[in-house]
Amino acid sequence: MAMSLRIRIDPTACTGHGVCADLLPERIELDEWGFPIIQPEVPSSLAAPARRAVRACPVLALRLQRTQKNQREGNPGTVTVTDRRHHRREPDATDGVVGNERLTALTGVVLLIGFAIEGMTLLALHRLLTLHFFLGMLLIGPVLLKIGSTGYRFARYYTGAAPYVRKGPPAPFMRLLGPFVILTSLAVLGTGVMLGVAGPGSGPWLFFHKASFVLWFGCMTLHVLTYVWRLPCILLGTPDGHGGHAEPGVARMAVSGGGTRWLLVGAALAGGLVIALLTIHLVGPWDGRLFFH
Amino acid sequence: MSTQTTRPLAARLTVGWHQAARPASLGEHHARYGPRPEAGRDLAGAVAAAGLTGRGGAGFPTGVKMRAVAARRGPAVVVVNGMESEPASEKDQALLARAPHLVLDGAVLAAHAVGAGTVHVCLDRARDQQITALMRAVGERRRARVDPVPVMVHGLPRHYVSSEETSLVRWLNGGEARPVTAPPRPSDRGVGRHPTLVDNVETLAHVALVARYGPAWFRSAGSSDAPGTFLVTAAGAVAGPGVYEIEGGTLVGDVLEMSGAVDDGFVLLGGYGGTWHPMREAAQLPLTAAGLRAAGASPGAGLVLALAPSSCGLAETTRILGYLAREGAQQCGPCRFGLPAIADDFAQLAAGRPEDGVLDRLHRRLGVIPGRGACRHPDGAVRLATSALNAFASDVRAHAAGHPCAAFRRGRTAAGLPIPRPRAEGQWR
Ligand SMILES: Cc1cc2nc3c(=O)[nH]c(=O)nc-3n(C[C@H](O)[C@H](O)[C@H](O)COP(=O)(O)O)c2cc1C
Ligand code: SF4
């Protein structure tokens, strides 16, 4: 087994700068228009200047590939991309769609964890009521963010934005379920807020809170069961978002706006925290009384 | 466009075309070919056994490509290439205009075979009637609930390279219809990053027939190295220009004869990225990939273009090269600067007013351009130019010495090859 290097060029990226030919004249010459004519095989004696040439390209049009040659059989074996730095891609219009899907998924994970804890407080609600209320208020932020990001996809789809139209709507059943997920979520949170504001013993809010919870729980179970298995792929950016794995040697799909997505989720949590802190005093009158009501 | 079937060696795709003035309805289609069979997962195997090759120009084995897409994990996508950007070609338009349901059957069957959830049909945006007719056919199928997958029809911008497969994928992903450097190939990562099967409309029509009648039936027409039938377009200086369905292995000479070419002169095989040959030599060769390989030619998407005896081959080549140079995607240096340069060299030659050393310069340029674009567009232009220098060698010498031929001095003749108008700049989306 011998390793050999090959130079690969993306001709659509190359702007004819010509630095590569200066750094690796043994393998690269320029044509009359200043674009490189490359002999791709790089012997090990030229590996160092070849790397320099690849790094020097101002538009990152060059890459080095390591080829494993099985010399006995003489056929080129697996090809691995060596230099990840040169695997950066230009953002394109699909990034919006994929980024939107990732934001929705990321917020979904935050909510899944949050509501799981919230669910546990139900087991000992008389002791954990403060936590229950606080967490519920905190989750208002991420819930609104999730409605926002799915609403954005909805709006882009119906206003005919090409990438969203081509991605298509969600599967028919999920399309039907979506509005119920949103309505029941808003109902559970809204009645929770009303319970705090109205105080114990006044009005039908406790009944509404419990009733909307039951409906919400049904919708949510279906919603979570449908999407949860796709989460890892969407978040990790493997090629198909459906349980596939990235090709060997190819960096996982980086989608521009990763920082923005984390920032949005952070901001949603911070917003929720502010709401929670401002409303926490409302839980006082309720403490310990829920079950005597 | 006339669609003659005066001497069809086999009529499979063209059954009933002579009486058809409009697309076959779903009912007529079923009466002609029978209902679409239930799709088996092993359609790829049957297609491979049939020896079907791509009819979009590259001639790649379709079964191999289907298997490659099917083998990738996750849902796939099928893209139907109905763009037919080759200016003289009419076969895909003729097929869609007569037998749209055969093409759609093939697309839906292929979708099932590779595990695709969507079919995208890509058409030239400028062909309004074709788009309307196909949407109608798709609507007919939707109402009849014959298809398990949604079929979407798209109109893409018209450029020679917008129909290259990576252009289609890039456009469907929301980008411009310009080629992308591969890898990854669409079969690995295409529309929405899903593995994507891109096939020509004629290829898919044959898939629909293989699914119905099997690989052995498919091979019952044609030769062992070119099984089945092929749609070809004959144009230029022929009495009966149009689309013909021929058996694999049919000689170029037979196509010239059935389309009524004057039997002396030159023929351009394979399209505008193809090769010029003296008719007498080409006539003996089968119009197949294997049969033309030794002559450095390829059938491409089935084009047989006759040069009028009164035309100047160099002038005609100059016009085509100018068109190809304009139609590049202007992304890759060797294509962007190289093609206009060789078109200009040819223009000087054709006009009989060459600068000093233009032939040497031209040969050097033709040597360095191929293989350096993201797509094969520049390679085609170079192939055309190189073959013109060979086929018209004596004219080249005369023109280079400052004596353009009589035909050039007479100017363009009526039976010239079609050169589409320059496009609106920047319309890539
Ligand atoms: C410059 C260029 C133009 C092309 N134009 C077409 C076209 O108009 N129609 C088509 O079917 N294939 C066209 N192709 C070939 C496609 O890239 C692709 O190979 C084909 O659609 C695959 O289908 P097939 O295997 O069924 O032939 C073109 C290729 C190149 C390089
Ligand atoms: S080779 Fe020419 S047509 Fe092909 S991608 Fe590059 S610039 Fe565009």
Side-chain angles (χ1 to χ4, degrees):
Chain A
M1 297 278 266
M3 285 294 209
S4 79
L5 292 176
R6 275 180 75 86
I7 306 173
R8 305 278 318 240
I9 180 170
D10 177 352
T12 64
C14 175
T15 49
H17 241 270
V19 262
C20 54
D22 290 340
L23 292 169
L24 192 64
E26 297 87 345
R27 303 321 265 171
I28 304 180
E29 58 171 323
L30 299 181
D31 65 19
E32 61 185 292
W33 307 287
F35 289 85
I37 302 173
I38 300 171
Q39 293 171 265
E41 301 292 345
V42 179
S44 45
S45 57
L46 288 176
R51 276 205 186 88
R52 269 199 294 281
V54 164
R55 296 235 166 81
C57 174
V59 292
L60 306 183
L62 295 176
R63 275 195 297 151
L64 266 186
Q65 264 190 344
R66 187 175 295 147
T67 323
Q68 266 173 16
K69 268 217 185 87
N70 191 329
Q71 288 192 318
R72 245 177 317 163
E73 290 165 29
N75 59 338
T78 45
V79 173
T80 16
V81 176
T82 43
D83 206 333
R84 284 272 167 94
R85 189 174 81 86
H86 297 285
H87 223 87
R88 216 153 69 189
R89 31 184 295 292
E90 293 282 303
D92 63 32
T94 6
D95 278 24
V97 181
V98 180
N100 172 262
E101 188 179 28
R102 275 194 203 170
L103 175 61
T104 306
L106 192 63
T107 323
V109 170
V110 170
L111 286 173
L112 195 61
I113 298 169
F115 279 119
I117 302 175
E118 188 75 338
M120 279 185 299
T121 62
L122 290 181
L123 300 178
L125 197 55
H126 53 294
R127 272 193 291 115
L128 297 178
L129 186 64
T130 308
L131 178 60
H132 180 86
F133 186 83
F134 185 82
L135 199 56
M137 293 301 109
L138 179 71
L139 290 177
I140 288 180
V143 164
L144 291 180
L145 177 62
K146 189 142 186 278
I147 293 175
S149 90
T150 44
Y152 182 77
R153 173 179 173 192
F154 177 89
R156 295 298 301 258
Y157 176 79
Y158 281 104
T159 52
Y164 287 83
V165 173
R166 287 177 211 136
K167 179 178 165 64
F173 177 66
M174 300 318 289
R175 213 173 168 181
L176 211 68
L177 188 64
F180 292 100
V181 170
I182 293 179
L183 282 178
T184 53
S185 302
L186 290 177
V188 175
L189 292 176
T191 50
V193 174
M194 287 314 293
L195 277 172
V197 173
S202 52
W205 294 113
L206 186 58
F207 170 76
F208 285 150
H209 191 55
K210 287 177 178 170
S212 59
F213 167 75
V214 172
L215 294 175
W216 172 88
F217 191 78
C219 293
M220 217 23 114
T221 309
L222 294 172
H223 178 81
V224 169
L225 283 179
T226 321
Y227 282 111
V228 74
W229 62 281
R230 287 181 53 195
L231 278 178
C233 299
I234 297 173
L235 293 174
L236 295 178
T238 46
D240 51 21
H242 280 264
H245 296 282
E247 288 165 63
V250 173
R252 71 189 181 84
M253 202 66 225
V255 174
S256 56
T260 318
R261 285 193 292 278
W262 284 106
L263 205 70
L264 280 170
V265 172
L269 282 170
L273 189 65
V274 171
I275 298 176
L277 288 174
L278 289 178
T279 53
I280 187 69
H281 65 277
L282 294 175
V283 82
W286 278 96
D287 223 359
R289 284 198 219 171
L290 196 62
F291 290 89
F292 306 115
H293 187 61
Chain B
M1 168 176 34
S2 82
T3 309
Q4 304 217 345
T5 46
T6 44
R7 217 180 76 182
L9 297 169
R12 290 181 165 180
L13 306 179
T14 53
V15 176
W17 278 21
H18 53 282
Q19 68 225 22
R22 55 176 180 79
S25 69
L26 192 56
E28 288 162 339
H29 165 68
H30 285 159
R32 190 173 293 162
Y33 294 105
R36 179 163 60 73
E38 278 311 307
R41 266 254 165 189
D42 200 39
L43 181 60
V47 169
L52 174 62
T53 50
R55 301 296 159 78
F60 190 80
T62 308
V64 174
K65 198 157 74 177
M66 284 172 76
R67 279 185 173 146
V69 174
R72 313 253 347 156
R73 299 188 50 169
V77 173
V78 167
V79 173
V80 181
N81 191 346
M83 299 279 287
E84 191 155 57
S85 68
E86 189 67 44
S89 188
E90 294 185 342
K91 62 150 185 117
D92 293 342
Q93 294 161 79
L95 178 63
L96 285 170
R98 307 280 194 309
H101 290 293
L102 200 57
V103 175
L104 294 172
D105 274 359
V108 169
L109 287 162
H112 186 86
V114 301
T118 318
V119 171
H120 295 285
V121 184
C122 295
L123 302 176
D124 177 342
R125 181 179 291 169
R127 296 183 186 136
D128 291 335
Q129 292 185 349
Q130 184 189 52
I131 294 179
T132 313
L134 205 69
M135 303 258 273
R136 194 170 297 144
V138 168
E140 217 182 336
R141 297 168 78 89
R142 195 179 302 132
R143 280 190 301 281
R145 295 177 197 282
V146 288
D147 293 333
V149 292
V151 177
M152 298 198 237
V153 180
H154 306 281
L156 277 68
R158 154 182 290 187
H159 304 280
Y160 195 75
V161 297
S162 291
S163 47
E164 200 268 343
E165 55 185 10
T166 59
S167 301
L168 304 184
V169 168
R170 182 171 173 184
W171 188 88
L172 286 165
N173 281 335
E176 300 185 317
R178 300 203 275 182
V180 184
T181 308
R185 300 229 58 87
S187 54
D188 292 332
R189 199 183 324 145
V191 178
R193 301 185 220 295
H194 300 300
T196 299
L197 181 76
V198 184
D199 268 320
N200 171 261
V201 285
E202 182 194 342
T203 312
L204 291 167
H206 286 295
V207 166
L209 295 182
V210 170
R212 280 182 170 84
Y213 312 129
W217 169 86
F218 185 81
R219 285 183 171 275
S220 67
S223 57
S224 57
D225 61 11
T229 64
F230 293 73
L231 293 181
V232 300
T233 309
V238 294
V243 178
Y244 296 81
E245 182 170 19
I246 60 169
E247 286 201 47
T250 302
L251 300 183
V252 173
D254 289 337
V255 176
L256 288 170
E257 200 191 316
M258 67 177 96
S259 60
V262 197
D263 67 334
D264 199 18
F266 291 87
V267 61
L268 174 56
L269 296 178
Y272 287 180
T275 47
W276 287 108
H277 305 268
M279 268 187 203
R280 292 235 168 94
E281 287 172 20
Q284 315 301 321
L285 304 172
L287 185 62
T288 61
L292 293 178
R293 194 167 298 132
S298 138
L303 281 127
V304 177
L305 308 172
L307 180 71
S310 56
S311 300
C312 168
L314 292 178
E316 208 69 352
T317 306
T318 301
R319 294 172 61 230
I320 300 177
L321 285 174
Y323 165 76
L324 294 177
R326 284 197 302 278
E327 285 288 305
Q330 315 301 329
Q331 301 185 108
C332 313
C335 180
R336 190 170 160 199
F337 299 101
L339 298 197
I342 59 174
D344 193 51
D345 290 345
F346 253 82
Q348 291 186 21
L349 259 188
R353 284 193 296 275
E355 291 166 8
D356 278 350
V358 73
L359 265 180
D360 290 341
R361 186 174 74 199
L362 182 53
H363 279 292
R364 191 187 67 240
R365 288 174 170 172
L366 294 175
V368 300
I369 295 173
R372 289 171 59 217
C375 75
R376 302 255 155 237
H377 179 63
D379 305 22
V382 166
R383 192 161 46 231
L384 175 79
T386 309
S387 80
L389 293 181
N390 291 332
F392 309 119
S394 59
D395 292 343
V396 170
R397 277 191 298 277
H399 282 248
H403 311 295
C405 55
F408 178 81
R409 286 195 304 270
R410 266 200 312 278
R412 269 202 59 209
T413 48
L417 297 170
I419 301 288
R421 270 170 217 290
R423 56 179 147 79
E425 283 301 327
Q427 286 280 323
W428 289 100
R429 281 192 193 268

PDB file of all heavy atoms in Angstrom, chain A residues 22 69 74 156 231 244:
ATOM      1  N   ASP A  22       2.922  29.357  -9.213  1.00  0.00           N
ATOM      2  CA  ASP A  22       4.195  29.837  -8.678  1.00  0.00           C
ATOM      3  C   ASP A  22       4.739  28.879  -7.629  1.00  0.00           C
ATOM      4  O   ASP A  22       5.933  28.654  -7.539  1.00  0.00           O
ATOM      5  CB  ASP A  22       4.006  31.210  -8.002  1.00  0.00           C
ATOM      6  CG  ASP A  22       3.733  32.278  -9.039  1.00  0.00           C
ATOM      7  OD1 ASP A  22       4.070  32.036 -10.221  1.00  0.00           O
ATOM      8  OD2 ASP A  22       3.187  33.337  -8.671  1.00  0.00           O
ATOM      9  N   LYS A  69      -3.149   3.572  -2.967  1.00  0.00           N
ATOM     10  CA  LYS A  69      -2.953   2.689  -4.122  1.00  0.00           C
ATOM     11  C   LYS A  69      -2.533   1.332  -3.625  1.00  0.00           C
ATOM     12  O   LYS A  69      -1.568   1.185  -2.913  1.00  0.00           O
ATOM     13  CB  LYS A  69      -1.852   3.261  -5.025  1.00  0.00           C
ATOM     14  CG  LYS A  69      -2.394   4.147  -6.107  1.00  0.00           C
ATOM     15  CD  LYS A  69      -1.587   3.949  -7.369  1.00  0.00           C
ATOM     16  CE  LYS A  69      -2.032   4.926  -8.435  1.00  0.00           C
ATOM     17  NZ  LYS A  69      -1.314   6.191  -8.314  1.00  0.00           N
ATOM     18  N   GLY A  74      -2.681  -2.738  -8.301  1.00  0.00           N
ATOM     19  CA  GLY A  74      -2.568  -1.594  -9.185  1.00  0.00           C
ATOM     20  C   GLY A  74      -3.836  -0.786  -9.367  1.00  0.00           C
ATOM     21  O   GLY A  74      -3.912   0.028 -10.264  1.00  0.00           O
ATOM     22  N   ARG A 156     -43.394  31.017   4.047  1.00  0.00           N
ATOM     23  CA  ARG A 156     -42.557  30.974   2.849  1.00  0.00           C
ATOM     24  C   ARG A 156     -43.156  30.018   1.821  1.00  0.00           C
ATOM     25  O   ARG A 156     -43.124  30.260   0.631  1.00  0.00           O
ATOM     26  CB  ARG A 156     -41.133  30.519   3.191  1.00  0.00           C
ATOM     27  CG  ARG A 156     -40.366  31.480   4.076  1.00  0.00           C
ATOM     28  CD  ARG A 156     -40.156  32.827   3.414  1.00  0.00           C
ATOM     29  NE  ARG A 156     -39.427  32.737   2.153  1.00  0.00           N
ATOM     30  CZ  ARG A 156     -38.146  33.030   2.001  1.00  0.00           C
ATOM     31  NH1 ARG A 156     -37.461  33.482   3.003  1.00  0.00           N
ATOM     32  NH2 ARG A 156     -37.563  32.904   0.838  1.00  0.00           N
ATOM     33  N   LEU A 231     -34.631  13.476  14.581  1.00  0.00           N
ATOM     34  CA  LEU A 231     -33.866  14.579  15.188  1.00  0.00           C
ATOM     35  C   LEU A 231     -32.358  14.474  14.979  1.00  0.00           C
ATOM     36  O   LEU A 231     -31.735  15.436  14.534  1.00  0.00           O
ATOM     37  CB  LEU A 231     -34.182  14.663  16.682  1.00  0.00           C
ATOM     38  CG  LEU A 231     -35.472  15.407  17.046  1.00  0.00           C
ATOM     39  CD1 LEU A 231     -35.676  15.370  18.543  1.00  0.00           C
ATOM     40  CD2 LEU A 231     -35.405  16.842  16.548  1.00  0.00           C
ATOM     41  N   GLY A 244     -29.600   8.399   7.472  1.00  0.00           N
ATOM     42  CA  GLY A 244     -28.407   8.077   6.692  1.00  0.00           C
ATOM     43  C   GLY A 244     -27.162   8.525   7.423  1.00  0.00           C
ATOM     44  O   GLY A 244     -27.229   9.207   8.433  1.00  0.00           O
TER      45      GLY A 244
END
